[in-house]
Amino acid sequence: MVYLNYCVLFVWILSLNYVKATDYDCSQPLLENAVLKATSSLRERGPENARLDGANAWTASSSDYDQFLTVDLGYTYNITGIATRGRPHSSEYVQEYAVQYGMNGLDFSYFKEPGGEIKMFKGNIDGDSTRRNRFDVPIIAQWIRINPTRWRDRISLRLELYGCRYEAETVYFNGTALVRKDLQRDPISATRGVIRLRFKTNNANGVLMYSRGTQGDYIALQLRDNRMLLNLDLGSGVATSLSVGSLLDDNLWHDVVISRKLRDIIFSVDRVEIRGRVKGEFLRLDLNRELFIGGVPNKQEGLAVIQNFTGCMENVYLNSTNLISVMKGSSEYGQDQFDYRTVNTAFHCPDPPVTPVTFLTAGSFVKLKGYEGVRSLNVSFAFRTYEPNGLLMHHSFLTSGHVRLFLHEGKVKVRIVTSGNPAALLDNYDERFDDGQWHFVILTVAPNLLVLSIDGRPMKTVRLIAMTTGSSYYVAGGVTGTPGFVGCMRLISVDGNYKPPKDWTSDEYCCPGEVVLEGCQMIDRCNPNPCEHAGACRQNSHEFFCDCTGTGYSGAVCHTSLNPLSCTAYKNTNAVSQQAEVKIDVDGSGPLKPFPVTCHFHADGRVVTEVSHSNMQITPVDGFQAPGSFVQPIHYDADMDQLIALVNRSQSCQQSLMYQCRNSRLFNANAQTDRFEPYSWWVSRSNQKMDYWAGAVPGSRKCACGIMGTCADPTKWCNCDADPRTVQALQQQQREQRLANGLSVGDNPGFEGWLEDSGDITEKENLPVKQVRFGDTGGPLDDKEGRYRLGSLRCEGDDLFDNVVTFRISDATINLPKFDMGHSGDIYFEFKTTVENAVIIHSRGPTDYIKVSIIGGNHLQFIYKAGGGPLGVSVETSYRLADNNWHSVSVERNRKEARIVVDGALKAEVREPPGPVRALHLTSDLVVGASVDYRDGFTGCIRALLLNGQRVDLRSYAEKGLYGVSPGCIGKCDSSPCLNNGTCHEGYDSYWCDCRWTAFKGPICADEIGVVMKSSSIVKYDFMGSWRSTISEKIRVGFTTTNPKGFLLGFFSNITGEYLTIMVSNSGHLRVVFDFGFERQEIIFLEKHFGLGQYHDVHLSRKNSGATMILQVDNDEPREYNFNIKASADAQFNNIQYLYIGRNESMTEGFVGCISRVEFDDIYPLKLLFQENAPPNVRSLGSPLNEDFCGVEPVTHPPDIVETRPPPMVDSDVLDRIYRHTDSAILGGVLAIIFLALVLMAVLIGRYLARHKGEYLTQEDKGADDALDPDQAVVQSATGHQVEKRKEWFI
């Protein structure tokens, strides 16, 4: 990527040399003398007001996508930038716009992105500020047309263009001309370079530039079928071909740039670029013969066309040298024969003799005159179109009948009707002609003869034809009820008379605005190919279509993969056995293709992916003595990029490697030497020669036996490195030792047998093995030989599906970096939740946004806004999505549609509106888990998030301790908060317990449901005909009593006489008595006294077909009681009719105490008794009963830790910039005013506090100041009543 950026910069620098101007002097304002026009405007807001610093602005009368502001600069300029503003002091401004350019005011081309999409330039954010955009590659044009695509309130615009005059050096080639430069004296030898030129032509084929060297190097730039083709060979004998552009024979100027650095190359036409790598191993282009421009004298290697170029070229640059300028200088000074030799060239560009005309709609046509009243006709023209149907020509005879030439399903057909003869339909051509290429048609009709010729291939038909011609010929349409032709035509001739389109009168063609004279305005929507993954593109005049057959992808642009992401993904969506042969697509919609694997599914849940290669059998190695002289590249069923992606995403990988040797050494390494000069080795995926064998560790220079210390020769680190004599001596010692111990020696092949070094390579960073190399296997006549086997690549697990996070709080989010969805993009993820309404993914920009939501528990919705109104697509499922199971979601937006796919099968699409496809402009973070403002949050788990096929590591965000987010998928129910077998319902931020199938109640099924029993109390449960027979009951009862006797619980059947009772005996022990039809049995639990007022919990169950009873009291260990059952008997408890609590109806006294937790399988009688609207089959008899908790306090869980969202992070740099940019003069003035105001306020307050309030008179006696009442004042007075004048002050 660094190199590509460098190349773009390099091209830009050269483009500045190309226009002979620097950036400094090529940025002058250009609109001073320009003429501005517009498609519509309001009164007093015409296009003349659209200058950048004007007091008004141009405002379109109707705000729609068909508004244009056209600028005629008067001359050809090199335009480097544009500045825009809106209407002053208003909210009317353009937010986004497209730029078109042209040379004649009739033909315009869009400024495009490198990928071929129309570039949308960012506009203004208010009516007054200026927004300036720079053209990465300058525009060379006289006319500029602005097409607003987004606006606020109204389309209002002011603008300025910047650039400089364009200076062109031009040369014309007439099809026989060429320029030849001798490179023998000045050869070219370069590892990098740039070629840049402009051309225009009417011909679809031609050689623009060619050169070659004596070592097989060549470069060939040529037009083939309206497309630019570059063939390049750096001397390796393998050509690299790149093709870009289309419809290049439209006689408009086209810019070509070829930029190469080593083996990386960028090839662009009109700013649409493709990138590639030169094949072979060489880096230098060596050209030392001749350089040809405009053609070649004879056929040359690397050329796909034989025609020389016909048309004009200008400013042909080789690096920084303008070849045309040098060529003209050589010609003027008579040096033509030394530097350049020109043949039939001219240094000017004449106007084309033939101009095309464009019929934009099916209702447009032209009506031309022919010879009237004659018995023959001749019509000829050339056409190009992408429409499969349309009328080409229609002529009505003066006599009855007509002849019609038309396109039907891409084929050219003729229908002729003459007087007295049946209608005839002629269909003589099998190929299609709606391919966008020029096709020349001649139709001749004469008595009893019709000749149709297409592209020089005539088809003659002889039949009875008699007619007299009329006066008018309708070309491209004009016949009611018949759709017209949409496309371009040229050289339209009727009866040998050609009338140029510029001479057509207004009553000869229809209609203004639907016919473009002197220009071919067709758009090739298939260039560059919008169909991804090698999908085949077709098109008509309105849109393109992608044929995804055989690609492994689907959708409008072949974007969505039809294959699972991995074997784990396959298992998640399919019923699997032990093994499956499938294709996987490790990056989904990314560039990597699907490849075949074998998936192994183990019983313990492990999933192993196996990739085979072409050399998995045992392979002999003999006759390769030099180290590494035997070379075996490994060719897998997938390419290296695919395998690396698989290995990197797997939890572990391994590949077995075995080498068996006979007198052949492997590493020849030991502890006595530091040198490592192996005879054999394997090569890692990064082309690294590895210094360890399978089973050892990197860097060890050992085999597995060297690590374990089990090598045949203890002094060596591999079995195959063993010294034959040492091995024979060791084997002899072992033989003697076995004989001394009285053991059999057995067969020992000695060193004449084979030794082996084998093991598994498990280091993921080195897998897969790319190559194996062996040596020291001697010649064909010695006894040295080896054999090896490399196993398949086996990888286990998939980190994609282990990358799981839990959102446990509804406003918790993971904020990912800005997601540039642009014109196309996709998001894949899997989720499980119980929340019915939530935003899962959200991002937005100034006006655009994307949002993925779950609605109502069974809808998934993808809604987005790209400039226009919001568009949405949703899938409604027949099952619940909020069911706490994993579901997959794939959303995609491309140039044609938006789609959503749920669980790999349910999908829905919405078409993009007509007009240019607008890129999604998103500026916020990509928020996962809620909306951008933390509303409508999601709680649950998300895994396997892919953005444009790239895995996003959500777990790493969660491991940083984010608010409300946890790694893994861990819900509230995972801690089993619901007690007593209550069912926990997950909410992830909460939970609730379903206690219906327990004998408890309460928020966590821990509240007792008991009853205080008196001696006369009884609770009876009647099975009411639904009699139950059991062989493995589960019975539970809890109780507390101080009366050491009584009946707790019993089951009875009057039909069979079988019963079971649980009671407290008179001695205070627990007693179980039952008879299930084989004999009466009794169990007495003596270890505890049950009449001491303590609470006891009793569990009773059976197993082994009823022959074993299990009794558990409180938290003690369960006890088992086995009973011998006769073969003729069974242990089934048959036809249970009644369940009694406290006593049965035959008893006079019952249990006294509290009973709770009564369960019999799935029956909870006390819970039923006390519920609202209790069923009629459970009732209390005797004294009234009330619910009680039997003194057992319910268990509670500690409260959850309350989490609060941390405050937002404050960007200190932003604050610093805000304070730094504060105007110090204004700040000082404000502070001075505040200071003066404070001083003035202090003065006023002081005056107010010290003001004189006035005078008053008093008659109070002196000496009576301290009197408590008037009487005392009189007594204490010293002077009597006296009027005195006093002053009062306010403090």
Side-chain angles (χ1 to χ4, degrees):
M1 182 59 69
V2 173
Y3 161 64
L4 296 179
N5 292 334
Y6 168 79
C7 283
V8 172
L9 178 61
F10 191 29
V11 170
W12 167 243
I13 294 172
L14 288 174
S15 70
L16 300 183
N17 295 327
Y18 173 51
V19 297
K20 297 184 178 179
T22 64
D23 180 60
Y24 177 78
D25 60 10
C26 197
S27 58
Q28 297 96 10
L30 304 179
L31 291 193
E32 182 178 357
N33 300 314
V35 177
L36 283 72
K37 297 181 180 179
T39 49
S40 69
S41 58
L42 293 178
R43 195 171 63 181
E44 298 182 359
R45 295 198 208 170
E48 67 278 0
N49 296 299
R51 301 182 187 275
L52 188 66
D53 296 322
N56 206 334
W58 164 64
T59 302
S61 60
S62 58
S63 293
D64 55 48
Y65 297 127
D66 297 323
Q67 301 301 316
F68 295 89
L69 178 64
T70 304
V71 181
D72 179 6
L73 296 174
Y75 299 95
T76 301
Y77 282 88
N78 188 72
I79 305 166
T80 59
I82 182 173
T84 58
R85 302 173 76 180
R87 183 166 173 257
H89 317 303
S90 73
S91 58
E92 298 177 9
Y93 51 89
V94 173
Q95 297 172 313
E96 182 186 75
Y97 58 90
V99 174
Q100 295 178 319
Y101 58 93
M103 297 296 294
N104 56 13
L106 299 174
D107 301 312
F108 287 92
S109 300
Y110 277 103
F111 191 98
K112 294 184 178 181
E113 301 271 13
E117 300 87 5
I118 297 173
K119 182 174 179 62
M120 298 296 174
F121 291 90
K122 298 305 174 185
N124 298 94
I125 58 175
D126 55 47
D128 297 297
S129 62
T130 301
R131 173 63 183 260
R132 185 161 180 170
N133 286 295
R134 183 185 183 87
F135 300 129
D136 296 333
V137 178
I139 296 174
I140 300 170
Q142 179 179 339
W143 273 267
I144 294 292
R145 195 158 69 172
I146 308 300
N147 177 205
T149 56
R150 298 187 194 178
W151 53 86
R152 174 73 182 273
D153 292 351
R154 281 183 176 273
I155 295 177
S156 292
L157 183 65
R158 293 178 287 169
L159 84 160
E160 181 62 80
L161 297 173
Y162 300 94
C164 56
R165 285 289 291 268
Y166 175 68
E167 299 179 11
E169 300 285 358
T170 307
V171 62
Y172 171 70
F173 300 87
N174 63 5
T176 64
L178 60 87
V179 175
R180 175 183 301 183
K181 176 178 173 58
D182 188 357
L183 297 179
Q184 293 183 2
R185 293 186 303 169
D186 189 16
I188 296 174
S189 179
T191 58
R192 65 188 68 195
V194 174
I195 298 173
R196 184 182 180 106
L197 60 91
R198 302 185 81 215
F199 76 93
K200 69 175 181 176
T201 182
N202 271 327
N203 289 40
N205 299 288
V207 177
L208 279 78
M209 183 178 292
Y210 182 84
S211 184
R212 63 178 303 180
T214 56
Q215 299 179 3
D217 302 50
Y218 66 79
I219 181 171
L221 181 64
Q222 54 208 306
L223 266 175
R224 185 182 66 177
D225 296 332
N226 303 308
R227 295 173 61 86
M228 190 63 69
L229 174 65
L230 172 67
N231 288 338
L232 183 64
D233 189 343
L234 298 183
S236 62
V238 182
T240 301
S241 293
L242 299 175
S243 182
V244 67
S246 68
L247 305 180
L248 300 179
D249 58 346
D250 54 3
N251 205 49
L252 300 177
W253 285 108
H254 299 283
D255 295 282
V256 179
V257 177
I258 304 169
S259 175
R260 183 181 69 91
K261 179 181 179 182
L262 302 178
R263 291 174 56 203
D264 294 300
I265 189 167
I266 303 175
F267 184 28
S268 73
V269 173
D270 296 332
R271 300 163 191 82
V272 178
E273 66 182 33
I274 59 172
R275 301 166 185 260
R277 284 182 63 82
V278 180
K279 298 177 183 178
E281 299 181 356
F282 299 115
L283 305 177
R284 185 175 297 275
L285 178 63
D286 294 305
L287 306 174
N288 57 6
R289 288 188 174 180
E290 290 177 306
L291 172 66
F292 295 98
I293 301 174
V296 291
N298 46 50
K299 178 67 176 175
Q300 299 285 345
E301 182 182 3
L303 290 177
V305 298
I306 59 175
Q307 299 92 337
N308 283 0
F309 177 74
T310 301
C312 301
M313 293 190 206
E314 69 179 23
N315 290 354
V316 179
Y317 274 84
L318 179 59
N319 293 330
S320 59
T321 303
N322 190 329
L323 300 183
I324 299 179
S325 179
V326 176
M327 189 189 314
K328 289 175 65 176
S330 299
S331 178
E332 291 173 0
Y333 291 102
Q335 299 175 354
D336 182 59
Q337 67 275 18
F338 299 109
D339 294 329
Y340 293 90
R341 284 186 289 170
T342 59
V343 179
N344 297 332
T345 58
F347 293 107
H348 67 280
C349 188
D351 293 331
V354 178
T355 56
V357 59
T358 307
F359 298 96
L360 297 175
T361 68
S364 57
F365 64 91
V366 60
K367 182 175 66 173
L368 300 175
K369 296 294 184 179
Y371 295 129
E372 183 178 1
V374 299
R375 301 182 61 190
S376 64
L377 64 85
N378 179 275
V379 177
S380 64
F381 55 85
F383 74 91
R384 75 185 326 169
T385 185
Y386 290 117
E387 286 290 341
N389 302 296
L391 179 64
L392 294 172
M393 186 280 299
H394 176 90
H395 175 65
S396 296
F397 301 137
L398 196 60
T399 55
S400 62
H402 65 267
V403 62
R404 181 175 297 174
L405 185 66
F406 61 96
L407 278 167
H408 178 71
E409 299 298 329
K411 294 184 178 182
V412 176
K413 300 181 180 182
V414 179
R415 186 176 189 270
I416 185 168
V417 180
T418 58
S419 178
N421 297 311
L425 181 65
L426 306 180
D427 179 9
N428 296 327
Y429 295 90
D430 293 331
E431 65 265 39
R432 298 177 67 101
F433 297 95
D434 56 345
D435 55 0
Q437 303 294 326
W438 282 110
H439 300 286
F440 190 69
V441 179
I442 303 175
L443 176 65
T444 302
V445 181
N448 302 329
L449 178 65
L450 186 149
V451 181
L452 175 64
S453 175
I454 303 179
D455 297 335
R457 294 176 297 144
M459 295 289 184
K460 182 184 295 186
T461 301
V462 178
R463 62 177 56 241
L464 292 175
I465 300 175
M467 56 83 185
T468 303
T469 59
S471 62
S472 299
Y473 290 76
Y474 288 87
V475 178
V479 178
T480 304
T482 302
F485 170 83
V486 177
C488 298
M489 288 188 178
R490 66 186 183 190
L491 294 172
I492 304 173
S493 175
V494 177
D495 290 334
N497 297 315
Y498 170 68
K499 187 176 184 179
K502 64 180 180 179
D503 296 335
W504 294 351
T505 60
S506 59
D507 59 346
E508 287 182 321
Y509 69 92
C510 178
C511 300
E514 298 180 22
V515 178
V516 178
L517 306 177
E518 300 189 84
C520 182
Q521 292 189 3
M522 284 178 56
I523 300 175
D524 187 356
R525 292 176 170 82
C526 287
N527 180 60
N529 188 0
C531 306
E532 302 177 24
H533 303 107
C537 181
R538 298 181 296 105
Q539 63 180 309
N540 57 28
S541 58
H542 303 291
E543 60 181 336
F544 66 88
F545 310 92
C546 292
D547 183 0
C548 306
T549 304
T551 64
Y553 297 84
S554 65
V557 295
C558 309
H559 182 82
T560 304
S561 179
L562 296 174
N563 297 285
L565 291 164
S566 64
C567 288
T568 302
Y570 180 82
K571 179 184 177 183
N572 292 342
T573 56
N574 296 273
V576 298
S577 57
Q578 294 182 349
Q579 181 176 308
E581 303 287 337
V582 300
K583 278 189 173 183
I584 62 172
D585 194 340
V586 290
D587 66 341
S589 62
L592 299 180
K593 297 179 181 179
F595 58 93
V597 300
T598 301
C599 299
H600 300 274
F601 306 103
H602 295 268
D604 59 0
R606 294 184 301 118
V607 179
V608 177
T609 303
E610 180 181 7
V611 184
S612 302
H613 58 83
S614 59
N615 198 40
M616 294 178 59
Q617 70 280 3
I618 294 180
T619 304
V621 183
D622 195 5
F624 296 89
Q625 180 60 31
S629 55
F630 176 89
V631 181
Q632 179 61 64
I634 309 301
H635 302 287
Y636 293 89
D637 292 343
D639 62 35
M640 193 54 59
D641 290 336
Q642 294 168 326
L643 294 175
I644 291 174
L646 171 65
V647 170
N648 290 345
R649 220 173 66 190
S650 300
Q651 295 172 350
S652 63
C653 291
Q654 65 182 37
Q655 195 167 9
S656 63
L657 179 59
M658 177 269 293
Y659 184 64
Q660 294 177 340
C661 56
R662 190 166 178 262
N663 297 327
S664 172
R665 289 168 291 181
L666 185 67
F667 277 175
N668 196 30
N670 54 51
Q672 281 73 38
T673 178
D674 293 332
R675 292 186 304 170
F676 182 63
E677 298 174 349
Y679 284 97
S680 305
W681 62 87
W682 58 277
V683 179
S684 71
R685 72 187 192 190
S686 57
N687 292 317
Q688 183 179 359
K689 176 181 175 181
M690 303 311 296
D691 58 356
Y692 69 101
W693 199 247
V697 296
S700 64
R701 302 181 180 182
K702 297 180 180 180
C703 300
C705 69
I707 298 294
M708 303 302 296
T710 59
C711 292
D713 184 347
T715 64
K716 302 293 184 180
W717 288 343
C718 292
N719 286 321
C720 286
D721 291 340
D723 186 331
R725 292 169 297 181
T726 302
V727 173
Q728 289 176 351
L730 289 173
Q731 291 174 345
Q732 180 64 30
Q733 292 178 6
Q734 293 173 358
R735 185 182 299 109
E736 295 173 354
Q737 183 68 34
R738 293 180 65 84
L739 289 173
N741 294 332
L743 300 176
S744 173
V745 175
D747 295 330
N748 190 338
F751 196 70
E752 295 297 319
W754 292 82
L755 295 177
E756 178 180 313
D757 286 300
S758 62
D760 290 330
I761 304 170
T762 59
E763 290 72 31
K764 285 174 51 177
E765 64 275 13
N766 296 327
L767 292 175
V769 176
K770 196 171 184 179
Q771 188 184 82
V772 289
R773 305 186 67 164
F774 297 98
D776 195 35
T777 57
L781 301 179
D782 58 21
D783 59 353
K784 287 185 175 184
E785 61 179 318
R787 56 194 182 203
Y788 77 93
R789 182 184 183 277
L790 176 67
S792 59
L793 176 66
R794 299 174 64 89
C795 292
E796 184 175 331
D798 189 346
D799 284 341
L800 178 66
F801 295 94
D802 293 333
N803 199 284
V804 191
V805 296
T806 304
F807 294 88
R808 61 180 187 269
I809 302 177
S810 61
D811 64 338
T813 62
I814 293 178
N815 287 44
L816 302 176
K818 181 178 69 173
F819 179 42
D820 183 14
M821 203 166 189
H823 292 88
S824 64
D826 70 280
I827 303 173
Y828 176 89
F829 64 92
E830 296 187 3
F831 75 95
K832 73 172 182 177
T833 186
T834 56
V835 65
E836 295 192 343
N837 298 281
V839 174
I840 303 177
I841 292 177
H842 187 213
S843 181
R844 67 187 180 194
T847 58
D848 299 352
Y849 64 85
I850 60 171
K851 183 188 294 185
V852 181
S853 308
I854 183 173
I855 300 174
N858 64 343
H859 278 78
L860 265 173
Q861 182 186 68
F862 172 48
I863 186 170
Y864 69 98
K865 182 180 180 184
L871 292 175
V873 56
S874 64
V875 168
E876 180 179 4
T877 62
S878 59
Y879 52 89
R880 285 183 56 78
L881 296 171
D883 60 354
N884 205 32
N885 290 317
W886 285 107
H887 299 280
S888 66
V889 182
S890 174
V891 297
E892 172 195 351
R893 190 252 180 172
N894 54 58
R895 294 172 60 182
K896 291 203 68 173
E897 67 177 15
R899 69 188 331 225
I900 182 170
V901 182
V902 178
D903 290 336
L906 304 173
K907 63 182 179 180
E909 300 96 5
V910 60
R911 290 294 302 270
E912 278 283 324
V917 179
R918 292 162 181 83
L920 276 163
H921 181 47
L922 307 175
T923 56
S924 74
D925 294 340
L926 182 66
V927 178
V928 181
S931 65
V932 173
D933 51 3
Y934 311 119
R935 298 179 181 272
D936 305 319
F938 169 87
T939 54
C941 300
I942 293 179
R943 71 181 183 188
L945 178 61
L946 297 173
L947 301 179
N948 289 336
Q950 298 297 316
R951 182 175 71 97
V952 178
D953 189 2
L954 294 177
R955 190 181 186 96
S956 65
Y957 286 86
E959 289 172 346
K960 296 176 182 178
L962 284 182
Y963 161 75
V965 184
S966 304
C969 188
I970 304 173
K972 296 287 186 179
C973 290
D974 289 351
S975 61
S976 301
C978 301
L979 306 181
N980 302 298
N981 294 322
T983 303
C984 183
H985 291 266
E986 187 64 73
Y988 291 97
D989 60 345
S990 61
Y991 67 91
W992 67 274
C993 297
D994 184 358
C995 306
R996 286 180 298 175
W997 308 110
T998 72
F1000 296 80
K1001 64 178 183 179
I1004 59 172
C1005 305
D1007 294 1
E1008 298 282 340
I1009 301 177
V1011 59
V1012 176
M1013 306 294 292
K1014 299 179 181 178
S1015 178
S1016 60
S1017 301
I1018 181 173
V1019 175
K1020 179 180 180 181
Y1021 181 92
D1022 190 345
F1023 287 87
M1024 298 183 69
S1026 298
W1027 302 328
R1028 183 172 296 194
S1029 298
T1030 65
I1031 200 168
S1032 58
E1033 310 83 13
K1034 291 184 178 179
I1035 301 170
R1036 184 181 186 184
V1037 61
F1039 66 95
T1040 177
T1041 183
T1042 56
N1043 188 7
K1045 65 177 180 177
F1047 177 96
L1048 293 172
L1049 187 65
F1051 305 86
F1052 298 91
S1053 172
N1054 293 333
I1055 299 173
T1056 62
E1058 297 175 6
Y1059 64 89
L1060 180 147
T1061 61
I1062 303 174
M1063 62 187 71
V1064 178
S1065 65
N1066 293 336
S1067 61
H1069 300 118
L1070 188 67
R1071 182 178 174 215
V1072 180
V1073 182
F1074 59 93
D1075 185 352
F1076 294 156
F1078 54 93
E1079 62 182 0
R1080 182 180 181 277
Q1081 301 288 342
E1082 182 174 353
I1083 298 173
I1084 299 177
F1085 190 84
L1086 301 174
E1087 279 72 10
K1088 289 187 178 183
H1089 193 285
F1090 292 88
L1092 302 179
Q1094 295 178 336
Y1095 189 86
H1096 298 282
D1097 191 6
V1098 178
H1099 293 260
L1100 190 67
S1101 61
R1102 287 195 296 160
K1103 68 178 184 178
N1104 297 333
S1105 300
T1108 302
M1109 181 166 284
I1110 304 170
L1111 176 65
Q1112 181 181 14
V1113 177
D1114 299 331
N1115 292 321
D1116 297 345
E1117 288 292 326
R1119 297 195 177 188
E1120 295 187 359
Y1121 302 88
N1122 297 307
F1123 303 97
N1124 295 321
I1125 301 175
K1126 298 178 181 179
S1128 60
D1130 66 69
Q1132 181 167 292
F1133 192 176
N1134 295 301
N1135 299 323
I1136 304 173
Q1137 292 179 281
Y1138 306 106
L1139 182 154
Y1140 292 97
I1141 301 173
R1143 68 182 180 92
N1144 61 30
E1145 293 168 320
S1146 63
M1147 296 179 178
T1148 58
E1149 293 185 4
F1151 177 82
V1152 178
C1154 192
I1155 297 178
S1156 65
R1157 304 183 184 182
V1158 179
E1159 299 179 16
F1160 173 57
D1161 291 342
D1162 59 347
I1163 298 173
Y1164 313 98
L1166 292 182
K1167 192 170 190 178
L1168 296 172
L1169 176 67
F1170 292 115
Q1171 76 178 21
E1172 189 176 355
N1173 300 320
N1177 64 324
V1178 58
R1179 53 200 176 95
S1180 64
L1181 306 175
S1183 57
L1185 298 178
N1186 296 315
E1187 183 180 348
D1188 197 276
F1189 64 98
C1190 294
V1192 180
E1193 294 293 337
V1195 177
T1196 60
H1197 296 312
D1200 292 335
I1201 299 175
V1202 178
E1203 294 183 83
T1204 57
R1205 173 172 287 280
M1209 298 294 293
V1210 178
D1211 193 333
S1212 58
D1213 294 335
V1214 173
L1215 288 179
D1216 184 62
R1217 286 197 300 269
I1218 293 174
Y1219 286 117
R1220 193 186 312 123
H1221 289 167
T1222 302
D1223 194 315
S1224 58
I1226 296 176
L1227 182 61
V1230 171
L1231 292 176
I1233 293 173
I1234 293 174
F1235 177 75
L1236 293 175
L1238 290 175
V1239 172
L1240 181 61
M1241 187 180 297
V1243 172
L1244 294 176
I1245 290 174
R1247 287 180 58 83
Y1248 182 77
L1249 292 178
R1251 75 184 188 277
H1252 180 214
K1253 290 279 289 184
E1255 298 178 347
Y1256 66 95
L1257 298 177
T1258 178
Q1259 296 181 359
E1260 187 176 87
D1261 294 343
K1262 290 182 178 180
D1265 295 344
D1266 298 328
L1268 297 177
D1269 53 50
D1271 295 331
Q1272 275 191 326
V1274 172
V1275 174
Q1276 294 179 2
S1277 64
T1279 61
H1281 298 320
Q1282 184 177 356
V1283 177
E1284 183 178 345
K1285 184 177 182 180
R1286 293 187 175 181
K1287 294 182 178 180
E1288 181 182 4
W1289 298 88
F1290 177 82
I1291 298 176

